[in-house]
Amino acid sequence: MARVTRRRQIDAAPAEVWGLVSDPYNLPRWWPRTVRVENVDSKPAGRRSQWTKVLETADGRGVRADFRCVSSAQDDHYTWEQQLSGTPFDRILRSSSLEIDLDAANGGSRVSLTSRQRLRGLSRLGSPMMRRATARTLDEALDGIERALTTGEEEG
């Protein structure tokens, strides 16, 4: 299993970070290459919420990916997994999840993003490349969280 973790101190309270990362509609504000979110089915406290991210490829095409929240605790952690069955991602991945952990620290939040991906078949040979790409994506996501919360970026 490819596991990659990135951490950063963000100058925002855990409740502010939680409000950003636990609302699927906010994903375009902070998650890399997300242009919009569709089909959001929100549940109280986030658990079992489902949504579709529309991601933009390098050549400008949109790719849809379905997700659901599998664990959440307000102001503490939020975990989602990608729904792979019957999608093009199913040929490459056995599983894919992201865990977001928040801790109050130094007047702000210590934010940890952990991606876990299990590759399928010959795709396993690309594990080192997948880890590097995932690390870049997580760093970009942390940049996005910081930008959204510290520059006062408005939704929309």
Side-chain angles (χ1 to χ4, degrees):
M1 175 179 293
R3 178 180 173 202
V4 178
T5 300
R6 289 292 187 263
R7 295 176 181 85
R8 186 172 304 169
Q9 177 72 25
I10 304 285
D11 291 331
E16 290 179 77
V17 179
W18 170 263
L20 179 73
V21 302
S22 66
D23 182 353
Y25 285 112
N26 283 326
L27 283 162
R29 295 177 61 202
W30 67 276
W31 191 259
R33 293 175 291 287
T34 301
V35 292
R36 70 180 177 277
V37 176
E38 302 174 341
N39 305 323
V40 176
D41 180 15
S42 292
K43 307 286 189 224
R47 188 135 192 225
R48 292 188 302 275
S49 293
Q50 297 183 45
W51 63 92
T52 300
K53 273 197 270 183
V54 180
L55 304 162
E56 187 174 64
T57 65
D59 62 0
R61 292 182 301 123
V63 175
R64 286 176 167 66
D66 297 322
F67 296 86
R68 72 175 176 179
C69 175
V70 293
S71 176
S72 69
Q74 187 166 348
D75 302 342
D76 184 59
H77 76 268
Y78 194 79
T79 303
W80 73 55
E81 69 181 8
Q82 186 173 358
Q83 303 299 288
L84 299 166
S85 183
T87 71
F89 299 102
D90 193 26
R91 290 179 291 153
I92 299 166
L93 296 167
R94 285 189 188 278
S95 64
S96 178
S97 66
L98 180 81
E99 182 175 341
I100 304 164
D101 288 306
L102 310 173
D103 292 304
N106 301 322
S109 301
R110 180 85 169 152
V111 180
S112 298
L113 303 180
T114 301
S115 172
R116 290 181 176 85
Q117 296 176 319
R118 294 184 77 170
L119 300 174
R120 185 181 297 281
L122 289 176
S123 297
R124 292 182 308 220
L125 297 174
S127 184
M129 289 185 296
M130 179 72 101
R131 286 176 203 254
R132 284 192 298 275
T134 299
R136 280 191 304 273
T137 298
L138 296 181
D139 286 336
E140 289 175 30
L142 287 167
D143 291 344
I145 291 170
E146 192 166 33
R147 188 174 44 254
L149 294 174
T150 61
T151 64
E153 179 183 302
E154 295 297 318
E155 289 184 45

